[in-house]
Amino acid sequence: MNKIKVEDKEFEIFLENDALNKRIRLLGIQINIDYEGKCPLFIGVLNGSFLFMADLIKEISLPCEVAFMRVASYEGTSSSGKVKELIGLPENIEGRDIIIVEDIVDTGLTLTHILKMIKEKNPASVKVSSLLLKPSALKYDIEELEYIGFEIPNEFVVGYGLDYNGLGRNLTDIYRATEA
Ligand code: XMP
Ligand code: MG
């Protein structure tokens, strides 16, 4: 299906599952090389990252651990600019090699906040893998942003974990809003 409706909003196909998987395979290969001899801790940011995490982790051939945490809510199609506290950040991350797994980086506010909190716990290293990045929306300089799936235009997207008002996370492909 090329066009779908989620609640009141119309979306069109943007990134098919096959393309997502191909790209994720490459990200996995890159991480396997970069972290050889290490045991990274992948920390997914809920809810949006759960499918990306599931597929990414299947490409990792290193010993590794997986955890999830949660931050602020994002309502409607534009960022509220507010970030709440982190919930569920693993306690014992001192000396660990952390890879934060995000569905999408928009302005970068959420990620900047997460990075600050994680660095306070003295990990050995921190990098970020985000399936999607909207470069033209980015307002913060984030040097840890290392493993990007796709750079996309500043449009609202849904599917493959990403939601519109809580709906659409179950879509296997990613769709973009046909109008703002
Ligand atoms: P910031 O601006 O802090 O926003 O980088 C990051 C968070 O905002 C959500 N977000 C989206 N969610 N489609 C979505 O379903 C989008 O196009 C979109 N843009 C931003 C997302 O939760 C992300 O973690
Ligand atoms: Mg998110």
Side-chain angles (χ1 to χ4, degrees):
M1 243 196 305
N2 279 338
K3 283 203 172 172
I4 56 157
K5 217 166 174 191
V6 180
E7 216 168 48
D8 57 337
K9 210 169 173 59
E10 198 176 89
F11 292 86
E12 63 188 10
I13 190 81
F14 183 44
L15 293 165
E16 290 187 39
N17 191 263
D18 192 46
L20 298 174
N21 270 314
K22 282 192 177 124
R23 182 69 190 122
I24 292 168
R25 207 162 296 146
L26 294 178
L27 291 177
I29 289 169
Q30 207 184 328
I31 291 171
N32 287 332
I33 292 167
D34 293 352
Y35 287 81
E36 205 191 326
K38 295 180 175 164
C39 176
L41 168 59
F42 291 84
I43 303 179
V45 183
L46 290 172
N47 292 330
S49 71
F50 73 110
L51 288 182
F52 175 41
M53 174 71 98
D55 286 338
L56 179 64
I57 214 73
K58 284 183 259 180
E59 304 298 336
I60 302 301
S61 52
L62 308 159
C64 63
E65 289 181 56
V66 181
F68 287 94
M69 53 171 238
R70 154 188 297 285
V71 271
S73 57
Y74 183 93
E75 282 161 17
T77 56
S78 70
S79 179
S80 65
K82 284 184 205 152
V83 174
K84 295 177 201 158
E85 68 181 302
L86 304 194
I87 301 161
L89 178 64
E91 280 301 317
N92 240 342
I93 62 173
E94 192 176 330
R96 296 299 305 269
D97 294 297
I98 309 292
I99 302 175
I100 299 168
V101 178
E102 263 281 24
D103 51 354
I104 186 165
V105 176
D106 191 311
T107 65
L109 176 72
T110 310
L111 192 53
T112 300
H113 185 70
I114 292 169
L115 283 166
K116 184 171 167 280
M117 308 288 278
I118 286 185
K119 283 180 187 170
E120 280 171 9
K121 293 178 181 270
N122 298 314
S125 68
V126 191
K127 294 288 179 193
V128 179
S129 179
S130 184
L131 180 64
L132 305 174
L133 172 69
K134 296 178 178 174
S136 62
L138 200 57
K139 289 188 189 141
Y140 299 81
D141 186 25
I142 307 175
E143 60 180 32
E144 294 86 353
L145 218 38
E146 186 91 13
Y147 307 102
I148 304 297
F150 299 88
E151 294 193 352
I152 66 168
N154 197 3
E155 291 169 324
F156 192 77
V157 291
V158 74
Y160 192 72
L162 292 139
D163 74 300
Y164 172 57
N165 288 344
L167 299 172
R169 296 192 195 278
N170 54 316
L171 299 164
T172 53
D173 306 314
I174 291 178
Y175 294 77
R176 69 169 160 214
T178 52
E179 82 273 6

